[in-house]
Amino acid sequence: MPTTVYDIARKAGVSAATVSRVLNGRGGASDATVEKIHRIAEHLRFRPKTVLNRRLSVVVPVPSKPHFFASYFLGQMLSGVSDVLFLAGCELRFLPFAWHDPAVAADPMRVLKVRHADAAVFLYVTEDHAYVDRVARAGFPHVAVSAGFSAPHVYMVDCDHYQSTYRAFEYLFDLGHRNIGIICAPVKFPAHAERLRAYRAACAKYGGPADDRFVVFAGGTGSEDGHVAAMRLLSLRKRPTAVFASNDNIALGVFNAARKLGLHIPQGLSVVGFDDYEFCAHLNPPLTTVRQPIYEIGRAAAESVVRQMRGEKDIPRHVIIPAELIVRESAAPPGKNRHG
């Protein structure tokens, strides 16, 4: 049986992800660990299991904002994807088409064939995901990631958006909050719609029906979008004692709005985010947030399409990777040291 990265990981006493990063030259380990992994790989005569003449195209919609590839989410996701593809001998390419253009959405397979793609990883899937359905029904190797919806014929890798968000609201209710607001990214993204659904369910269980005044929709997913939405929410005569932001960029905007309004976090306002971007631990105070396993989702997505290209059987259609609530210092019981 051929040696795998898992065999090397066991002998080296590290994770398979660390082995992947080291073998494709991405680093992320000490010099001693790098040397040890290469020594073990050579000893075990490790050779990447290739998919001959295969190219994997990562398909993304045309971005509507600049610096699209500077996104932390995209960077982590593509790191996971590329680590797996490198070891599988696949090529990673980008097809920046407007998938929601009616002509493209009506015949996405034509676009993929023109570009000689052998598989597709769909990122940033919105509620209008007919193009994903068409690719899936054509039997083309594919996977949708962090999509927030399910369909029996679509290969999908995601986290548990609903359950992990529900746990975040349970945490705020356990702290004693009853007036909790939510700033939600546009619900055209099913993942954010799931987070809103969890908010309504948690309110119904712990505090009665959600107060619609406390439900504010941001114009986008950036920090400025969060700031504008937070100014509306926090300017209410009766404002919430806690705010859940449906991603960490929006949470950053809430921090800025609270500072502008003279509200101290968490003394005057508790804030919880979603994703656990790198900056969260360095905010003042550090942000309590749901850690979405972005890198792991990327790896699992790439493993799915590689297995499909190899013609393997019994590949899971839906893979759900648990998310984790990371408790830091941005949330506290309501009214605690309110004038601190």
Side-chain angles (χ1 to χ4, degrees):
M1 181 178 294
T3 299
T4 69
V5 293
Y6 298 99
D7 298 323
I8 299 171
R10 279 192 294 271
K11 285 191 171 291
V14 298
S15 68
T18 297
V19 173
S20 294
R21 287 193 295 270
V22 169
L23 292 182
N24 73 12
R26 292 176 57 86
S30 67
D31 291 344
T33 299
V34 170
E35 182 180 350
K36 183 178 184 180
I37 288 172
H38 281 292
R39 186 171 64 250
I40 292 172
E42 184 177 351
H43 176 73
L44 294 178
R45 297 181 179 179
F46 172 76
R47 295 292 182 273
K49 189 175 181 181
T50 60
V51 181
L52 296 179
N53 299 319
R54 294 296 192 188
R55 294 184 294 272
L56 184 118
S57 301
V58 174
V59 183
V60 298
V62 173
S64 58
K65 57 185 179 180
H67 312 302
F68 181 73
F69 286 97
S71 161
Y72 179 84
F73 177 91
L74 188 63
Q76 288 292 298
M77 183 71 69
L78 293 181
S79 290
V81 170
S82 63
D83 281 352
V84 170
L85 296 186
F86 173 83
L87 294 175
C90 296
E91 177 188 9
L92 175 62
R93 294 189 295 120
F94 298 94
L95 301 180
F97 286 106
W99 289 97
H100 300 292
D101 180 283
V104 176
D107 191 6
M109 288 303 304
R110 181 180 63 83
V111 175
L112 293 169
K113 289 176 181 177
V114 166
R115 289 302 185 95
H116 306 290
D118 296 293
V121 176
F122 293 101
L123 307 177
Y124 299 106
V125 178
T126 66
E127 61 187 354
D128 181 18
H129 47 76
Y131 57 95
V132 180
D133 295 332
R134 290 188 173 94
V135 170
R137 293 187 188 282
F140 190 77
H142 71 281
V143 65
V145 299
S146 291
F149 73 94
S150 61
H153 57 288
V154 175
Y155 286 98
M156 192 170 301
V157 180
D158 213 335
C159 79
D160 52 342
H161 297 280
Y162 178 88
Q163 290 296 336
S164 57
T165 301
Y166 192 92
R167 286 195 295 271
F169 283 112
E170 281 188 317
Y171 172 70
L172 288 172
F173 280 112
D174 287 345
L175 286 175
H177 293 279
R178 292 299 177 267
N179 298 320
I180 303 174
I182 180 171
I183 299 178
C184 193
V187 291
K188 67 178 181 179
F189 298 106
H192 290 281
E194 282 294 282
R195 296 168 201 175
L196 177 58
R197 188 169 72 89
Y199 167 72
R200 296 193 184 281
C203 286
K205 179 175 180 179
Y206 291 98
D211 188 333
D212 285 341
R213 294 174 301 172
F214 290 168
V215 178
V216 176
F217 293 95
T221 58
S223 60
E224 184 57 31
D225 300 305
H227 177 265
V228 172
M231 290 300 293
R232 296 203 310 269
L233 178 61
L234 299 178
S235 295
L236 293 172
R237 173 174 292 184
K238 177 188 176 183
R239 61 181 168 228
T241 61
V243 173
F244 173 84
S246 66
N247 76 12
D248 292 333
N249 285 330
I250 290 174
L252 181 58
V254 176
F255 268 58
N256 293 336
R259 187 174 299 111
K260 186 174 182 178
L261 295 170
L263 293 172
H264 296 282
I265 299 174
Q267 296 91 342
L269 180 72
S270 289
V271 182
V272 175
F274 196 104
D275 281 328
D276 196 27
Y277 285 1
E278 191 174 43
F279 64 74
C280 293
H282 305 290
L283 291 176
N284 183 21
L287 179 66
T288 293
T289 188
V290 176
R291 176 177 292 163
Q292 182 174 192
I294 306 171
Y295 173 84
E296 291 78 7
I297 289 173
R299 284 188 58 87
E303 288 167 356
S304 176
V305 291
V306 167
R307 291 183 66 187
Q308 290 174 60
M309 286 190 292
R310 288 176 179 152
E312 295 184 20
K313 306 299 182 182
D314 302 319
I315 305 169
R317 286 281 178 175
H318 297 161
V319 176
I320 302 297
I321 302 177
E324 177 186 5
L325 179 65
I326 305 299
V327 176
R328 296 192 178 102
E329 301 168 28
S330 65
K336 182 180 179 182
N337 299 322
R338 185 170 287 275
H339 300 291

